Amino acid sequence: MPELPEVETTRRGLAPHLEGKRVRGVVLRRPDLRWPIPREIESVLPGQRIDAVRRRAKYLLLDTQAGSALLHLGMTGSLRVLPASTPVTAHDHVDLQLSSGRVMRFNDPRRFGSLLWQPAGETHELLRALGPEPLADEFDGDYLFGRSRNRKAPVKTFLMDQGIVVGVGNIYAAESLFRAGISPLRAAGKVSRERYAALAAAVKDVLAYAITRGGTTLRDFISPDGAPGYFEQELSAYGRGGQPCPNCGRPLKFANIGQRASVWCGHCQR
C-alpha cells in the first residue's frame, strides 16, 4: 500500500495541475470503489474551483468552497493528470474534467481505494481520530514518551498506530527503528525519553528523505507523471531479512510483529 511519502509525492505532482482550476464535470464509470461514491461528487463538486490539494495521513483532499473530495489510493490506486483525449483503459474508474482541458484520472485495479466527500466546515469520520503528522513540530520525543507510558505492545506496533502518529507504515517504521537503533520487539513503555527523541528524529529524517526520492515503489505505485519512486533501492532493513546488516554485517533478523513482516538487526537494535 502506498505510504505517506508516496501520497505526498502524488500530492506535490497533482497540485500544480489542479490548484486554481475548476471542475467542469465528473465521470464515474462505476458507482463505488471500496465504498459507494457519495452523490455530492457528481452533484456538488462540478463547477467548484480547487483551492488547495492537501494531504492528511494517507488521504488526499481537494479543497473547494463547498467541501473537499477525499481520496485514498488503497493498494493499487494511482492518479494522473492527462489530456482529455487520452483513451480510457481498464480500471480507469473516475475522471475529474478540469477547466484546463485536462482530466485527473483515478485508476484502481483492485478497487481498494476510495473517493468520498467532506462538507465544508466538517471533518470526515475517517480523519477524526488521527494522530499528528510525523513531520509536524508537535511530533517529537516528548510526545512519543508521554503517549507510550505503561504500553506493553511492541514499539513498532505503537509507532504504526494511526491514533499515535499518522502515515508511518510498515516500511518506514522498520527503517526509522533501524536508524534509531531500537529493537521493534521492545515494549513501547520500556523505551526511554532519550531514545524516543532519537526515534522521532529518525522518523522525520527517513520520511523527508523518502519524499525527495519519490517514495518507495512496491507493486503498482507510480507518481502522477508516471515515474517510479526510488527510495526502495536504499532500504536498510525492510525486505532484507537474512541479508547482512549495513552497519555490522550480521544477518538481519526476520519475524512477524503485529501480523506485519519485520526486519531488524539483533546487534545494532536493542
Side-chain angles (χ1 to χ4, degrees), residues 17-246:
H17 301 286
L18 299 186
E19 291 179 347
K21 308 299 189 297
R22 288 193 180 274
V23 178
R24 295 301 190 196
V26 176
V27 177
L28 301 182
R29 299 186 180 90
R30 57 177 303 113
D32 60 359
L33 292 170
R34 181 177 181 182
W35 298 296
I37 298 172
R39 60 179 179 80
E40 288 89 346
I41 295 296
E42 287 186 293
S43 64
V44 178
L45 185 57
Q48 295 293 319
R49 184 184 68 192
I50 299 173
D51 296 320
V53 180
R54 292 188 294 125
R55 179 190 55 76
R56 179 69 172 113
K58 299 178 186 179
Y59 294 91
L60 290 170
L61 294 96
L62 311 184
D63 292 338
T64 75
Q65 277 195 322
S68 302
L70 183 67
L71 299 115
H72 194 286
L73 297 176
M75 294 287 290
T76 58
S78 64
L79 295 166
R80 302 280 194 89
V81 178
L82 304 165
S85 60
T86 304
V88 174
T89 63
H91 314 302
D92 286 341
H93 301 309
V94 179
D95 279 1
L96 297 191
Q97 300 167 334
L98 305 170
S99 57
S100 63
R102 297 168 74 84
V103 297
M104 187 196 78
R105 183 161 290 170
F106 192 173
N107 179 284
D108 188 3
R110 297 184 68 183
R111 300 199 307 274
F112 288 161
S114 59
L115 173 57
L116 302 169
W117 181 254
Q118 176 178 276
E122 298 183 17
T123 300
H124 195 279
E125 60 181 339
L126 292 172
L127 307 182
R128 290 173 192 161
L130 295 177
E133 292 285 332
L135 298 177
D137 291 342
E138 63 187 290
F139 176 72
D140 59 16
D142 289 339
Y143 168 79
L144 285 176
F145 182 78
R147 292 297 304 269
S148 66
R149 294 308 85 194
N150 300 317
R151 289 184 179 249
K152 298 179 180 179
V155 64
K156 182 168 185 265
T157 303
F158 169 73
L159 188 61
M160 292 176 60
D161 184 338
Q162 298 296 291
I164 300 299
V165 59
V166 300
V168 185
N170 199 25
I171 297 171
Y172 297 102
E175 294 299 300
S176 298
L177 288 163
F178 180 84
R179 181 174 295 203
I182 299 172
S183 169
L185 296 170
R186 182 174 290 276
K190 298 296 185 181
V191 178
S192 69
R193 187 186 299 270
E194 292 74 21
R195 300 192 80 195
Y196 269 127
L199 180 57
V203 169
K204 290 177 183 288
D205 289 346
V206 167
L207 290 176
Y209 183 65
I211 290 169
T212 69
R213 300 291 283 152
T216 307
T217 301
L218 294 175
R219 297 189 178 92
D220 302 306
F221 172 74
I222 47 180
S223 62
D225 63 0
Y230 294 102
F231 187 67
E232 181 187 14
Q233 302 171 20
E234 304 170 51
L235 296 174
S236 297
Y238 182 86
R240 298 188 66 245
Q243 298 180 39
C245 170

